[in-house]
Structures are given as C-alpha cells and as structure tokens.
Amino acid sequence: MPYRIEYSSSARAGCKGELKMSGRNKIAKGALRLGTVVEIQGKQSFQWRHWGCTTPKILSNIKEAHPEPTDLDGYEDLTDEDKAKIVKAWQEGHVDPADIPETQAQPGDEPPEKK
C-alpha cells in the first residue's frame, strides 16, 4: 500500500509537510502521522508528515488509491476519535484546521482551537 496512517513510535521522523525554514520539525512520539511510500536508492521507505500537514491534493491522491478511509493501512489501529478525523477529512476533502500544527500555519490563518 502506498500510504499508511499510524501513531509515531518515536520522535525521530521529520515532517515532510513542514514549511519552517529552520528545517523540518520532528513528529512527536504518539502523534498521528501519515506515511507515503517512496523509493530511495532502490529501497522502499516512508516519508512521514503530521496528519494535520496533509494537503487537499495529497488527500485526493490517497482517496484514488483507497476509496474508503477504512481501506487505509493502519486505520484499524487508530482510536475512535482519530478514525472520526480521517472519515471527516474524506468527506470534506481536507484536514480539519484544528489538526494543523502551529508550525505549519500560514500567515493570517486562525490559530487552531485547543481541545
């Protein structure tokens, strides 16, 4: 499968979606993340991003590969709350703005509501 959703097992992976000029921010251990399969020097690996850094275009590409959110590798291992986030994003075509990390917010964006 070209995509995987899961909780980060460590804080080593950098977010591919981060826009900070100081380098990619690490994805915290336990944070919801999306992996995309890439091939590097003939070996397959994942490029990770925070779930909140998933753009509408990426979500559209995922939906082409996985018509239903339940088809996404790792979906069955998520909490009910996170499953609901994925389903909502599938229906709306974008990730909830509250899930976007502060480091990814664009100038003029509303700060995400704290839960």
Side-chain angles (χ1 to χ4, degrees):
M1 300 211 158
Y3 301 99
R4 176 162 177 74
I5 189 84
E6 68 178 25
Y7 300 109
S8 179
S9 59
S10 70
R12 293 184 315 222
C15 178
K16 176 68 174 159
E18 290 290 340
L19 293 179
K20 295 277 272 184
M21 298 307 273
S22 61
R24 290 188 283 188
N25 286 345
K26 299 294 183 185
I27 301 171
K29 182 176 181 177
L32 187 61
R33 67 183 184 175
L34 175 74
T36 304
V37 174
V38 294
E39 190 169 316
I40 301 172
Q41 297 179 347
K43 295 185 180 184
Q44 286 191 342
S45 183
F46 281 103
Q47 270 187 344
W48 296 102
R49 66 179 64 235
H50 296 99
W51 167 247
C53 294
T54 303
T55 65
K57 176 62 176 162
I58 292 169
L59 190 57
S60 174
N61 292 342
I62 295 169
K63 288 169 69 173
E64 286 180 26
H66 306 286
E68 297 295 326
T70 55
D71 297 336
L72 191 57
D73 188 34
Y75 178 88
E76 66 281 352
D77 298 324
L78 302 179
T79 65
D80 289 342
E81 180 182 350
D82 287 334
K83 287 178 182 178
K85 287 181 185 183
I86 307 300
V87 169
K88 182 178 178 188
W90 238 255
Q91 293 168 343
E92 295 180 356
H94 63 86
V95 172
D96 189 322
D99 292 331
I100 299 171
E102 290 178 19
T103 55
Q104 180 66 10
Q106 300 294 311
D109 283 354
E110 298 268 335
E113 291 181 26
K114 298 295 180 193
K115 295 180 181 177

